[in-house]
Amino acid sequence: MRESWPAFKSILLQVHSIAGLVLALLLALIALTGAIMSFEDEVVDHLDAGIMQVAPRPAPALMPDELVARLKAAHGVGKVSAVMLSSDPSAAVRVRFGRDEQGGRPASLYVDPYDARVLGSPRGEAFFTTVRRLHRWLLIPGDAKGWGRQITGVAALGLIVMLVSGLVLRWPRRAGSVKMWLKPNLSLSGRGLHRSLHAVIGTWVLPIYLAMTLTGLWYSFDWYKDGVVWLLSRPQGPAAKMMPANPPRAAGRPEPAQPIGFDQAWTTFQREEGGRFARALLTLPASPGTVIRIRSWGKDMTLEATRDEFRIDAVTGQLASAERYSDKTFGEKVIAAIYDIHRGAILGWPGKLAFMIAAALMPLFAVTGILLYLSRRELRRPAQPPLGRLVPGE
């Protein structure tokens, strides 16, 4: 076994090096864009603080359909796809729009809930949208339906290979020594310093990179997503949740002749939730149908995962399905928290900061890895004999 270890380690080093050389720039790009988005919510809230609040009034807020109708009449906006409503009387309504004929999506608007007056568009929205598309799909046409989704997934698989192989390669003889694992030797220079930084700092961020990659694969491969759902959810869970997006309509009832609105669904939702929610996102169906999806977050809920989800027929107001966070099993809560785990938000702002720093360090491993590869090639290059010692035939 001991005799075969050097050969195995040599092969492992080749795998680690090749994967790193192929994916270095791509992983650095994905990681840096992820770092930029780490505190997106906080940055956007700060930039838009002046247009996210209104003065509360004794008059009741407009119903969603009336608000949208006034907005269209005054500004000729395009098709509304979603509205974000709040139980806070001083919170503005955020209106989002569907894609236009050219495939572009107009900027969303903050609107006064009492008179539909436009307060402004979110600052930084276009920037973060571009960064997100670059992070997830590399700006490749088709977005989630294009090749970018699979390419980032392959990069994540490659990073897992590098993490595991790197851990095996750097396993010290004194494995119980914390100093050997976690303290870089900054007194070195050249190749020694590059190797120390690459190995030791890589050990620091290895758990974070594993969390990032294992959750990031959820968004890249359907087979991975299906496997996680099978592993963590209740056997009857998917069947209970996958109710028809558009339940069959009663015989003889004609399809609505005009575009569906939000009011019926909003009324049903308020009856179901009462005053428990803080904000609710109402989304119209992307395909032909009448069922509106409503995601809501409670007043004491700060994570994206801690949401309830309802599907309500916009014509009849009938509740098609209700999926409450409090009713989920532990495994289903883990599934719901995939996005929060991916960005470290599950640990609060310290977790987001740690994940941001780890992501920002990815270029360090790209640079030191390439330098180590080049130095190894230099060491393996046979020394050239002095020209004065050459004889004919050599």
Side-chain angles (χ1 to χ4, degrees):
M1 180 68 181
R2 291 183 177 180
E3 292 76 8
S4 61
W5 173 246
F8 174 74
K9 190 173 181 179
S10 177
I11 295 174
L12 205 60
L13 179 60
Q14 292 296 322
V15 171
H16 185 87
S17 300
I18 293 172
L21 289 172
V22 172
L23 299 174
L25 294 179
L26 179 58
L27 287 173
L29 174 64
I30 294 173
L32 287 176
T33 51
I36 291 171
M37 294 189 296
S38 294
F39 287 92
E40 176 185 355
D41 295 339
E42 290 79 0
V43 171
V44 171
D45 287 349
H46 175 74
L47 293 175
D48 298 333
I51 61 174
M52 295 175 64
Q53 300 292 320
V54 298
R57 301 167 210 174
L62 297 173
M63 289 292 285
D65 289 346
E66 176 65 17
L67 184 142
V68 170
R70 291 192 186 187
L71 184 62
K72 288 185 175 181
H75 300 279
V77 296
K79 179 183 177 182
V80 172
S81 63
V83 293
M84 176 74 82
L85 302 170
S86 174
S87 61
D88 182 357
S90 65
V93 175
R94 185 170 182 176
V95 180
R96 298 178 178 175
F97 302 96
R99 295 189 182 278
D100 54 29
E101 295 179 355
Q102 289 74 35
R105 190 185 298 275
S108 58
L109 296 173
Y110 280 106
V111 180
D112 190 314
Y114 298 99
D115 58 13
R117 178 173 55 92
V118 173
L119 303 174
S121 294
R123 298 170 62 185
E125 181 181 49
F127 170 76
F128 281 111
T129 297
T130 302
V131 172
R132 188 175 299 105
R133 292 181 61 236
L134 181 59
H135 177 76
R136 294 179 176 178
W137 311 306
L138 307 175
L139 297 181
I140 294 176
D143 291 347
K145 297 180 180 179
W147 285 102
R149 180 170 172 251
Q150 284 74 32
I151 294 174
T152 55
V154 170
L157 290 173
L159 180 57
I160 292 176
V161 171
M162 285 188 285
L163 292 173
V164 174
S165 60
L167 181 64
V168 175
L169 288 169
R170 78 143 307 192
W171 198 275
R173 293 182 179 178
R174 290 182 294 163
S177 171
V178 175
K179 180 179 177 180
M180 292 290 292
W181 279 107
L182 301 178
K183 184 179 179 181
N185 190 346
L186 301 180
S187 63
L188 299 173
S189 62
R191 174 179 170 79
L193 178 61
H194 300 155
R195 188 180 187 282
S196 181
L197 293 175
H198 192 87
V200 176
I201 298 180
T203 303
W204 293 355
V205 299
L206 187 145
I208 295 177
Y209 283 175
L210 275 177
M212 288 178 175
T213 51
L214 292 176
T215 52
L217 288 170
W218 170 275
Y219 301 99
S220 292
F221 299 116
D222 291 333
W223 57 265
Y224 183 88
K225 184 175 183 178
D226 293 341
V228 172
V229 170
W230 173 83
L231 182 66
L232 296 179
S233 67
R234 291 169 291 190
Q236 69 275 19
K241 288 189 245 183
M242 293 302 294
M243 297 188 67
N246 300 293
R249 307 185 63 80
R253 181 184 297 172
E255 294 291 333
Q258 58 184 6
I260 61 175
F262 294 100
D263 284 0
Q264 285 278 21
W266 177 238
T267 301
T268 300
F269 168 77
Q270 288 181 307
R271 185 173 64 248
E272 289 287 328
E273 282 291 88
R276 293 190 296 271
F277 77 99
R279 54 195 175 96
L281 178 64
L282 286 68
T283 305
L284 291 175
S287 56
T290 62
V291 171
I292 288 179
R293 183 184 67 185
I294 301 181
R295 289 179 172 176
S296 69
W297 292 263
K299 296 180 179 179
D300 57 343
M301 302 299 184
T302 57
L303 295 176
E304 175 71 18
T306 55
R307 65 174 184 262
D308 298 331
E309 186 162 325
F310 304 85
R311 293 183 184 273
I312 303 172
D313 190 288
V315 176
T316 66
Q318 180 184 357
L319 181 65
S321 66
E323 182 182 329
R324 298 184 183 275
Y325 180 78
S326 59
D327 295 334
K328 294 179 184 291
T329 65
F330 174 77
E332 290 166 341
K333 288 180 178 179
V334 171
I335 292 174
I338 289 288
Y339 177 66
D340 290 320
I341 298 172
H342 183 69
R343 62 193 185 119
I346 196 75
L347 302 175
W349 74 262
K352 292 170 70 173
L353 180 61
F355 274 53
M356 182 187 74
I357 294 173
L361 285 172
M362 183 63 78
L364 170 69
F365 303 111
V367 172
T368 54
I370 291 173
L371 291 175
L372 288 170
Y373 174 78
L374 294 176
S375 64
R376 281 198 302 273
R377 287 182 59 87
E378 187 67 27
L379 290 173
R380 291 171 182 171
R381 186 176 299 171
Q384 297 294 329
L387 292 178
R389 297 183 181 178
L390 292 177
V391 296
E394 288 187 330

